[in-house]
Every structure is written in C-alpha cells, then in structure tokens.
Amino acid sequence: LKEQLFLTLSASCLALSLICFTAWTREKEERAAEALAPQVLRFHVLADSDFPEDQALKLQVRDLLLEEIRRGVPSCSEKSQIQRYIEDHESELEQTANTFIKKQGFSCTADIRLEQAYFPTRVYGDLTFPCGVYDAVRVVIGSGNGHNWWCVLYPGLCFTNSYHTDIDETASESYSLVFETAPRP
C-alpha cells in the first residue's frame, strides 16, 4: 500500500512538473513572439474542408494570391506597405481568387482580411517563429474548416514548394535585422 501511494505521488509530482515546465516554455515563447510580431506579417490560408480537392484548391489559391501580391508590391517593401496594398486591393484580390475558384468548379468563396491571429511555433530552416499573436493576411475559403497553410509574408519567407528551402537575399537581410532586435525563445 505504501509503495502504491509512493508511486501515485511520484507520478503526480512528475505530471505537475511537466505541466509547469510546458506552461513556462509557452509563456517564454509568447513573450518572444510579442517582441517579434510587430516586425512580421504572416500569410494564412484556410481550406473549406479536409477533402483532397479542397486541400488542392487551397494550395492553388495560395499560389495565385502570393503571385498577385508579389506582382503588386516591390520585393523591397516594408511591412506597412504590404499591409496597405492588401487593404487597398482586398476586393480585387478576393475577386481574383473567387473567379479562379469558380473556374475550378467550386461554389465556395474566399474571404481575405488583415487581422491578428494566433500561430503555433513554426520553424523555417534555421529560423524559429515562436507561438503567439501576429498580424496576418488571412484567406478563408468557404467555411475555413479544413487544414491550413501559413508562411511569413514579411520579411518574405513564403515557400510554395516544400523542396525549396532557399531564402532570397533581401529576405535574409531583413531576417538578420528582425532577429537581432527580438529575443530568442
């Protein structure tokens, strides 16, 4: 009976320690994200559902919109310039996405908006973006109940090919500045 009580108490202490450590780690990451977030603009696309055709559409809409944004905003733009472009061209971007979606035979629509959203920790090569609330361009296709895709729009780190892991030179310079001024998690 004493052994069983000892094992139960030991397991409880271990579980409590793990919970405390996890909470401490998350809080530390969120503080790091608070310092980093003002310098970053995320891009987040949510699919209508997890059906394969909706997931494929999500990636096609992602590629289309990233191309439109890259065409409309010079690569050396600041975060505020990209945000202003999105705000000024939101309805045009939505119309472009919705025309494409309809041509693909889908009845859902895309809703594009700038907002603040919570993101989990994400690693891009040797860069880690801690979990926290970031400014984001969110594209919700249909109900938005499917798996999502996200990247960092500013400084530019949106890869559309999972095998491509090079960061362009202007993005590398921007990241050096961003990560020099933000604490690491």
Side-chain angles (χ1 to χ4, degrees), residues 31-45:
R31 277 195 310 269
E34 285 176 13
L36 182 63
Q39 303 170 63
V40 173
L41 181 61
R42 309 287 293 259
F43 186 71
H44 190 200
V45 184

Side-chain angles (χ1 to χ4, degrees), residues 24-68:
W24 175 78
T25 301
R26 185 177 201 104
E27 182 182 336
K28 184 178 171 187
E29 285 182 340
E30 287 177 353
R31 277 195 310 269
E34 285 176 13
L36 182 63
Q39 303 170 63
V40 173
L41 181 61
R42 309 287 293 259
F43 186 71
H44 190 200
V45 184
L46 294 94
D48 187 34
S49 77
D50 286 335
F51 289 119
E53 56 273 8
D54 288 340
Q55 288 297 309
L57 179 65
K58 168 191 72 181
L59 299 178
Q60 292 170 330
V61 170
R62 168 205 67 189
D63 293 347
L64 173 73
L65 291 175
L66 283 175
E67 183 60 34
E68 288 293 318

Side-chain angles (χ1 to χ4, degrees), residues 33-34 37-42 44 79 83 113-119 132-138:
E34 285 176 13
Q39 303 170 63
V40 173
L41 181 61
R42 309 287 293 259
H44 190 200
K79 175 185 172 184
Q83 288 174 304
R113 56 186 174 254
L114 274 171
E115 63 184 31
Q116 290 194 325
Y118 180 85
F119 289 88
V133 177
Y134 291 85
D135 291 331
V137 176
R138 274 188 115 176

